[in-house]
Amino acid sequence: MRDQYGREINYLRISLTDRCNLRCGYCLGSGPVRWLPEETLLTDGELCAVVSAAAELGISRLKLTGGEPLLRPGLPELVRRLYEIPGIEDITLTTNGLLLPEQAEKLAEAGVSGVNISLDTLNRASYAALTGTDGLERVLEGLDAALCAGFSHVKVNCVSGEGITDRNPAEVAELARTRQVWVRYIETMPLGQGKNYAPVARAALMKELEERYGPLTPVNERGNGPAVYYSVPDFAGLVGFISPCSAPFCDGCNRLRLTADGWVKPCLQYQGTVNLRELLRAGASGEMLKAALSAAIRSKPKGHRFAEDQAQTGLERRGMSAIGG
């Protein structure tokens, strides 16, 4: 299905939970966290009903996110159920990697085609300061488990905001030098705790990477999302950039988002337009779900307005963990 601006919407990001086993400052902050009540989260059956309706509208690719999606019980079986839905061709997921050593092989067997691992530093002390957990070695073990499991791609997501603990984001590219992974640098966005950190523009990071590793050469590799990739001399993998603030990509946005508690979000910056959990629990049919999703697609804005006044109405006020960024 196409939205009102002619963009083909074929990609649905599904948050499976708002819960996380890390405590990154730019996501959850340092204050008390109020998790969503368990009974408000979509069940496996409800998720399959939503995806079935979405697939009939042309959604073919799914990204499973959180929070931390590997905290969701029975995840491999859910993946298998989602693949049974006609029209679903590809399922990937994003994780912090802590639970990948045990789960990577099972997820690959279930059909997950690729994983994105969030990792912002290769310094153990900096990782502990940022996440509240001394877990860097576990994440690296999870990264290697993912490579051994046979996923078609393994990507590393590194947030590039200023002031995110004492670290050097450029060092994370070292993973792509020694392994066949794609390291992507993602600008912070003014959402939730991210409002406290200024984004690092792509040009600045590219300059630092080239000074360290040599020239970056554009390549045509593309995934489901908006990353722009470069090859680097003597690297086994690639380096990429996702720059929603310094290089917006809204004109080519192909996605909807579904929060763990059922809200459909046509754009990350704005509040959800309809709560499908409420419709489902009121007895909504598949046709009713399709109508709600169609309306959400038609309401998709032309683009975000991160550079404008953050007091504007209709903005998302929840943090990234709650909305499945």
Side-chain angles (χ1 to χ4, degrees), residues 182-298:
W182 298 0
V183 173
R184 296 109 57 81
Y185 292 95
I186 303 176
E187 288 180 349
T188 52
M189 292 172 280
L191 291 167
Q193 297 295 326
K195 296 175 183 177
N196 300 321
Y197 303 91
V200 176
R202 180 189 302 179
L205 266 173
M206 288 183 67
K207 182 176 183 294
E208 184 173 355
L209 288 167
E210 290 192 318
E211 290 174 349
R212 180 186 290 244
Y213 295 112
L216 275 60
T217 303
V219 297
N220 291 324
E221 294 286 353
R222 299 290 296 181
N224 289 335
V228 177
Y229 291 101
Y230 296 81
S231 63
V232 187
D234 300 320
F235 268 42
L238 300 174
V239 171
F241 301 89
I242 299 175
S243 312
C245 297
S246 65
F249 40 81
C250 300
D251 287 349
C253 185
N254 63 345
R255 66 191 59 187
L256 286 179
R257 286 178 166 82
L258 180 67
T259 68
D261 56 348
W263 284 98
V264 180
K265 290 175 58 64
C267 176
L268 184 62
Q269 185 182 20
Y270 296 94
Q271 295 172 352
T273 58
V274 62
N275 191 304
L276 297 184
R277 183 196 75 243
E278 294 177 356
L279 289 179
L280 283 161
R281 296 181 186 179
S285 65
E287 289 302 313
M288 294 172 69
L289 293 177
K290 282 173 60 179
L293 287 164
S294 295
I297 291 172
R298 288 193 298 271

Side-chain angles (χ1 to χ4, degrees), residues 5-207:
Y5 301 103
R7 296 170 296 197
E8 183 180 359
I9 310 304
N10 57 13
Y11 181 31
L12 178 63
R13 292 178 63 98
I14 300 173
S15 176
L16 298 180
T17 179
D18 63 323
R19 287 159 175 75
C20 190
N21 47 358
L22 294 181
R23 193 64 187 275
C24 300
Y26 61 80
C27 182
L28 290 175
S30 57
V33 179
R34 296 179 61 183
W35 304 119
L36 293 167
E38 286 281 356
E39 64 272 14
T40 67
L41 304 184
L42 292 176
T43 66
D44 286 5
E46 289 168 339
L47 281 171
C48 289
V50 172
V51 171
S52 293
E56 291 188 29
L57 295 173
I59 295 293
S60 60
R61 295 179 285 176
L62 308 177
K63 171 77 77 178
L64 306 181
T65 72
E68 173 45 52
L70 299 193
L71 292 173
R72 177 97 175 197
L75 181 53
E77 180 56 32
L78 174 59
V79 170
R80 291 187 180 93
R81 290 181 63 180
L82 292 172
Y83 266 124
E84 292 174 355
I85 296 170
I88 297 304
E89 300 173 355
D90 186 58
I91 301 176
T92 59
L93 65 83
T94 295
T95 173
N96 61 35
L98 285 176
L99 301 177
L100 265 182
E102 296 81 14
Q103 296 194 35
E105 186 173 349
K106 294 177 182 178
L107 291 167
E109 290 174 351
V112 172
S113 65
V115 295
N116 297 359
I117 300 172
S118 300
L119 182 59
D120 298 320
T121 179
L122 296 183
N123 180 281
R124 181 176 176 180
S126 295
Y127 182 92
L130 172 63
T131 67
T133 301
D134 183 13
L136 177 61
E137 293 304 317
R138 283 284 296 169
V139 177
L140 294 176
E141 183 182 348
L143 172 62
D144 289 332
L147 289 168
C148 291
F151 296 110
S152 64
H153 61 260
V154 177
K155 303 173 184 177
V156 174
N157 293 341
C158 178
V159 175
S160 59
E162 293 181 359
I164 300 179
T165 195
D166 182 18
R167 67 193 183 113
N168 183 352
E171 71 184 4
V172 180
E174 188 70 18
L175 294 173
R177 188 182 68 81
T178 58
R179 298 170 172 88
Q180 289 186 327
V181 302
W182 298 0
V183 173
R184 296 109 57 81
Y185 292 95
I186 303 176
E187 288 180 349
T188 52
M189 292 172 280
L191 291 167
Q193 297 295 326
K195 296 175 183 177
N196 300 321
Y197 303 91
V200 176
R202 180 189 302 179
L205 266 173
M206 288 183 67
K207 182 176 183 294

